[in-house]
Each structure stands twice: as C-alpha cells, then as structure tokens.
Amino acid sequence: MQRKVCFGFAGALLFCAPLAAQWRNLPSKGIPRSADGKPNLSAPAPRSPDGHPDLSGIWEPSANKYLRDIAADLKPDEVPFQPWAKALYDQRIDGSHSGEDPDANCLPQGVPKIDAAPAPWKVVQTPGFVVIVYEAFNLWRQVFLDGRQLESDVNPSWMGYSTGKWDGDALVVDSRGFNGKAWLDQLGKPSTDALHVTERFLRRDFGHMNIQITIDDPKAYTKPWTVNEEVHLLTDTELLEFICNENNRDVSHLVSR
C-alpha cells in the first residue's frame, strides 16, 4: 500500500509526497467487505463489548481547509473575538507573522488544531480510557473515562488534559489546562490559558466520523463557538514517524516581523 503524507506549516500546505508501505500482509480481520472485496466504509460502525461505538482505528481528516482556517464554514462575524484577539488575528492573517506559528517552529499544534493536521491519527479505545496517537509531530493524548476530575491548578500544557464520557453514541471529550500558546489555525486565531475545548466524536458508520468542536475561551472570545469537521478511516496503513525537528528547513522561508 502507498499513501501520501502532506507537510505544511504556517499558512500553506507545502507539499505531498508518496510513501511506500512499511508493512506487508497487514491483517484485515474485522473489516467489512463489499462484493468486490474492497473495504465497505458505509457498513455499520463497530461496537465494543460494553455497547458503545468502537472508535478504534486510523483516521485522517477529510478536508485540509480546517488546518488553515478552523472557521472555514462560518461567516466572518460568527467568530466572536474579544477586541484584542481580533486585533492580533488581523495582524497575523496577512501572513507577515507566519514564522511565529508554533507549528513552524516544531512546537505542538495543540487541541483542537491537531484534529485537522494533514496526517493520520490512531485511536485506541479501552473501557477506562482512550489514547489518540498522532502521526503529526509524534504527539499523543489520553482521554480518561473513569470519572476523574482535573485539579484547579495544573501544569499548563500544549495538549491539555482530557476527560470523556458517552452521550448516546457520541464520545464527549472535555479538555482544559492549556498553556495559551497554541494558534487555533494557521491564520492565527489565538487561544489563552482559559481555553476549554469540547469535542464530540460520533462514528457515523464504519469509515466516517464527525467531530463537533466547541471553543470556549472567555479571555479571547465573547462566547463559545462551534465548528464541525469530518475524518475518514484508513484501513490498510499504519502511522509513520514524524520528527519535525529533524532537518526542519521551513521556518527560514516564512515571514516574521
């Protein structure tokens, strides 16, 4: 199997390169097939023994536009900026500060930006927690399902601290404890340490999943706002190593004041 991996930072998707498969004879157990033998991505979503949808698998964004602009499907006035956040965004949007994007400097994309990064990510689901392993920058998250609560004073982090619960067939993930350094997209929508991200993962069928993302950051936005993204399942591949700091030549070509 051969797939393309796309690399892009701070304002532009730079290039996509084909990569040869690293495994042979990949097991295909549990993958429903259509009459022609191809994976049937429209088959019903699998369920775990506890009855919840099983989100396990390798997923890839179905559209790269949300990496550049998380609000691509919203009207400009539907992003409720605080005045200072709008002023900062207006400075960044012309690309003159693209070299300041954390991604361009091999720093984590943060949540929820990493959901839209043009590289696959793998979900490993257990009854007590979910692990998401991202190919992009070799990052990972843990989503705890055991009822634990976050301390009021935690060490700020790029990826936040995530807990989850089931709401019908949707896994609702609450993430807090961010350091406020991440951009929400390549255009430069800011975040602060007050950021609270709610993601609703809903596996519609075997090969398609919706992610509803609510941004609640009262220091940067006047009210919570919501976007929707879609990802699709990859059935015949595995994650690759992605070391951003290894021979990174991107930032020297980006504009920064």
Side-chain angles (χ1 to χ4, degrees):
M1 180 267 177
Q2 189 179 78
R3 67 175 170 88
K4 289 184 177 181
V5 61
C6 298
F7 301 85
F9 300 104
L13 197 64
L14 300 183
F15 66 91
C16 294
L19 290 172
Q22 68 271 42
W23 302 105
R24 291 189 300 170
N25 301 324
L26 279 173
S28 58
K29 181 180 179 181
I31 298 177
R33 302 281 174 175
S34 55
D36 59 5
K38 295 181 179 179
N40 181 6
L41 300 184
S42 298
R47 292 187 178 269
S48 58
D50 60 11
H52 294 302
D54 188 351
L55 310 185
S56 299
I58 296 177
W59 300 90
E60 180 180 62
S62 297
N64 287 322
K65 63 181 179 179
Y66 302 111
L67 176 68
R68 177 169 173 77
D69 181 4
I70 191 174
D73 296 333
L74 303 182
K75 297 176 182 178
D77 60 358
E78 291 181 320
V79 179
F81 290 103
Q82 294 280 5
W84 76 266
K86 182 61 164 64
L88 178 59
Y89 175 66
D90 288 343
Q91 292 175 15
R92 292 172 172 174
I93 197 173
D94 66 0
S96 62
H97 294 263
S98 57
E100 300 170 12
D101 187 339
D103 300 15
N105 297 279
C106 292
L107 293 170
Q109 289 97 335
V111 176
K113 186 179 181 183
I114 198 166
D115 291 339
W121 36 270
K122 185 174 188 175
V123 175
V124 181
Q125 181 174 323
T126 77
F129 61 90
V130 170
V131 174
I132 307 178
V133 184
Y134 296 93
E135 183 172 293
F137 295 15
N138 282 17
L139 292 168
W140 54 271
R141 297 168 66 190
Q142 294 183 90
V143 179
F144 295 102
L145 308 177
D146 55 8
R148 70 183 64 189
Q149 297 180 347
L150 189 64
E151 290 283 356
S152 58
D153 184 17
V154 297
N155 184 44
S157 66
W158 286 94
M159 303 297 287
Y161 302 85
S162 299
T163 59
K165 62 182 181 181
W166 291 98
D167 181 12
D169 283 346
L171 177 63
V172 182
V173 178
D174 283 314
S175 300
R176 304 172 186 264
F178 296 99
N179 59 19
K181 298 178 182 180
W183 293 15
L184 298 183
D185 55 25
Q186 289 182 335
L187 292 181
K189 294 180 183 65
S191 69
T192 76
D193 58 4
L195 176 64
H196 170 207
V197 178
T198 303
E199 300 154 291
R200 291 179 62 92
F201 294 85
L202 179 63
R203 188 169 187 172
R204 301 198 325 262
D205 54 26
F206 188 81
H208 304 90
M209 182 159 61
N210 291 339
I211 310 174
Q212 182 188 80
I213 301 168
T214 298
I215 307 295
D216 184 6
D217 188 342
K219 290 184 179 180
Y221 303 94
T222 60
K223 62 181 180 180
W225 50 286
T226 299
V227 300
N228 292 280
E229 300 178 7
E230 182 180 293
V231 296
H232 59 269
L233 187 71
L234 300 179
T235 60
D236 57 356
T237 190
E238 270 295 348
L239 302 187
L240 298 170
E241 185 178 76
F242 185 160
I243 307 300
C244 178
N245 262 325
E246 186 176 46
N247 199 29
N248 177 27
R249 300 181 182 182
D250 183 70
V251 71
S252 63
H253 300 287
L254 299 175
V255 179
S256 182
R257 291 177 178 173

